[in-house]
Amino acid sequence: MLAEYSEEIMEVFKKTAQLNTGAKIPLIGLGTGAVDQNEEVIKAAVTTALQVGYRHFDTASSYNSERPLGEVLHMAFHNRLVNREDVFVTTKLWSTQHDDPVTAIKNSLKNLQLDYVDLYLIHLPVRFRKEVPMSAVLDRKPTKLGTDVNPYSGPEEDYFLPLDMKSTWNGMEQCLEMGLTKAIGVSNFSSKKIEDLLSHAKIPPAVDQVEMHPQWQQKKLRDYCSKHNIHVSAWSPMGAPNTPWGSNLVMDDPLIHEISQKYGKTRAQVMLRWGVEQGVSVLPKSYNKDRIFSNFQIFDWSLTPDGHDKIGMLKQVKLFRGDAFVNSTTGPYKTVEELWDGEI
C-alpha cells in the first residue's frame, strides 16, 4: 500500500515536519487547553503523554496550563527521562498582551520553568485592554452542539483596542532575537491576515495554528501557507468534541465511523491520521490515559486514496466562528466574515 503514496506523503511516517527555521516540529502534540481542568489532572496527562512518546506540548497563557506543564517537564528534565532539546513546547501571546510580547513571554517562561519555548504564537488577531481579566473574555456559556450559537458571553465593547499588528509582530521578532523562542508564528489567522503580515514582517511566521478537521479542511489556507513555507497546525483535529467551542458533529459523522470500522481504528485515530497525511501537525486534547495512548498510534498505517477522496467530499462547517470577537463599534471586525476575511 505504501508504494501508492508520493515521497511527500511518506514524510509523515517520520513523525516530524520541518519549519522554515530549519527546526523539526513533531506531527502530533498534546493540547492542554480545556474547560475548568485542575492542575493535577493536567500534570497526570502530561506525564502519561511523555511516557507514551509525545514530544510536542501546546499551551497558552490563557489556558492556565503553563504552570502544571512546566512542573512535569522540569522534573522530567531533572530526572533525565527526556532531554530539553527533544521536547517541542508552544505557548501563545494573549490579546491583552499585544503591547509587550517580550514581558509576556518572560512570564510564560517563568510559569513553564524554561529558558526558551520552541514556538511562540499570537493567539488571535484581536487586541484587548491590558486591564481586561481573561475570565471576562473567556466566560463560556452553554450552547447546543453543532449550532452556530456563540459559545461565549463575549467581551464588552470597551474591552477592544485598535489592532496594530506591525507593532505586535515587531515585539514577537524581538522575542526571537533575544533567544526567548526558537520560532514565532500566529494562530487563527486567515490567508489575507498572513499576507498583510508578510508585507511588513522582517521574519516570516513559521506556523499558523488554526481550527482544522475533516469537516473544516482549510484547503485555501493550507495552499497559501504551503506557497509561503508556513506550517499549519490543527488545534481541533477531531472537532473539539464536548467543548463549548467545538462539537461532536465531526466525531459522530457516519463516514468517519465507517472508515474507522474498515481499518479497525478509533474514529480519533482516523481523523488524526487524515490530518498528518495533509502535512499538518495535530494537537488532540485529552486527559484520559487510554485515549492519550490511542491517539499516538497513528504512524504505522495509512489511509487509502479512496478514504481521502471520501473525506474530501464531507460538508464543511466552521465550528469556532468567533462571534464574540466582533462588534459594530469598537472592534477591528464588524462581522465574522471580516474576522476570517471570508474564509468561513
Side-chain angles (χ1 to χ4, degrees):
M1 181 185 297
L2 299 184
E4 301 177 26
Y5 289 90
S6 67
E7 181 178 339
E8 185 177 67
I9 291 294
M10 289 294 288
E11 284 294 306
V12 304
F13 290 91
K14 297 180 180 179
K15 301 185 182 181
T16 63
Q18 183 168 304
L19 301 181
N20 57 22
T21 63
K24 299 285 189 180
I25 182 171
L27 285 175
I28 186 167
L30 182 73
T32 63
V35 180
D36 300 326
Q37 202 61 260
N38 69 62
E39 292 196 356
E40 293 306 314
V41 172
I42 295 170
K43 287 193 285 187
V46 174
T47 300
T48 296
L50 281 171
Q51 293 169 344
V52 167
Y54 288 74
R55 295 296 180 264
H56 181 177
F57 296 90
D58 180 79
T59 184
S61 58
S62 64
Y63 291 171
N64 295 320
S65 61
E66 286 180 334
R67 194 179 306 277
L69 171 60
E71 288 184 19
V72 175
L73 292 180
H74 178 76
M75 289 303 299
F77 301 150
H78 177 76
N79 294 329
R80 304 189 182 217
L81 300 177
V82 64
N83 296 321
R84 170 64 185 98
E85 57 269 24
D86 295 329
V87 176
F88 193 100
V89 179
T90 299
T91 194
K92 307 177 188 76
L93 178 83
W94 182 236
S95 295
T96 58
Q97 303 168 322
H98 279 221
D99 288 350
D100 193 355
V102 172
T103 297
I105 194 174
K106 285 181 177 179
N107 288 335
S108 288
L109 291 173
K110 182 178 179 180
N111 288 334
L112 289 162
Q113 301 185 55
L114 297 175
D115 295 325
Y116 67 89
V117 290
D118 299 271
L119 178 63
Y120 195 45
L121 305 177
I122 298 175
H123 205 148
L124 284 161
V126 176
R127 180 176 167 224
F128 296 127
R129 297 182 185 279
K130 286 183 180 180
E131 62 271 18
V132 174
M134 209 168 291
S135 60
V137 177
L138 300 179
D139 180 20
R140 300 171 174 92
K141 59 183 180 182
T143 185
K144 183 179 179 181
L145 293 175
T147 71
D148 289 337
V149 176
N150 172 25
Y152 300 100
S153 61
E156 301 292 336
E157 292 192 357
D158 63 357
Y159 290 177
F160 288 88
L161 286 174
L163 190 62
D164 184 358
M165 191 51 62
K166 186 173 183 178
S167 175
T168 300
W169 191 250
N170 179 260
M172 297 291 285
E173 291 173 332
Q174 289 181 46
C175 294
L176 182 64
E177 291 162 356
M178 293 171 67
L180 303 174
T181 181
K182 299 293 187 181
I184 53 178
V186 295
S187 182
N188 301 302
F189 272 49
S190 66
S191 304
K192 184 179 186 303
K193 285 182 174 54
I194 295 176
E195 182 179 21
D196 292 343
L197 176 59
L198 290 174
S199 71
H200 59 75
K202 291 185 298 182
I203 302 169
V207 171
D208 187 11
Q209 188 186 114
V210 295
E211 175 186 351
M212 180 183 160
H213 45 75
Q215 288 190 358
W216 191 245
Q217 298 181 15
Q218 295 273 26
K219 190 171 188 310
K220 177 182 178 181
L221 177 68
R222 287 190 286 121
D223 287 346
Y224 182 86
C225 287
S226 177
K227 178 181 177 182
H228 293 278
N229 196 21
I230 298 169
H231 177 76
V232 173
S233 190
W235 61 250
S236 60
M238 298 177 289
N242 302 313
T243 68
W245 57 86
S247 168
N248 288 4
L249 280 179
V250 191
M251 183 69 76
D252 292 341
D253 188 277
L255 176 63
I256 300 300
H257 185 66
E258 173 190 323
I259 293 175
S260 74
Q261 289 187 313
K262 175 181 177 181
Y263 285 86
K265 304 295 181 182
T266 69
R267 289 170 290 171
Q269 288 172 331
V270 169
M271 290 185 280
L272 295 172
R273 181 67 207 181
W274 173 84
V276 300
E277 288 190 11
Q278 306 306 303
V280 311
S281 53
V282 293
L283 301 167
K285 299 178 180 73
S286 180
Y287 294 133
N288 177 282
K289 184 174 183 179
D290 291 339
R291 286 196 290 270
I292 290 171
F293 175 82
S294 175
N295 289 345
F296 198 72
Q297 311 308 309
I298 60 170
F299 292 105
D300 59 352
W301 60 282
S302 57
L303 291 168
T304 63
D306 179 64
H308 278 284
D309 290 343
K310 288 180 177 178
I311 292 174
M313 292 187 291
L314 285 173
K315 180 181 178 182
Q316 298 295 288
V317 55
K318 184 170 179 55
L319 300 175
F320 177 72
R321 290 175 54 84
D323 300 73
F325 300 107
V326 304
N327 69 63
S328 60
T329 56
T330 61
Y333 319 109
K334 311 304 181 191
T335 65
V336 291
E337 286 75 19
E338 285 187 12
L339 174 61
W340 305 110
D341 297 301
E343 293 177 18
I344 190 168

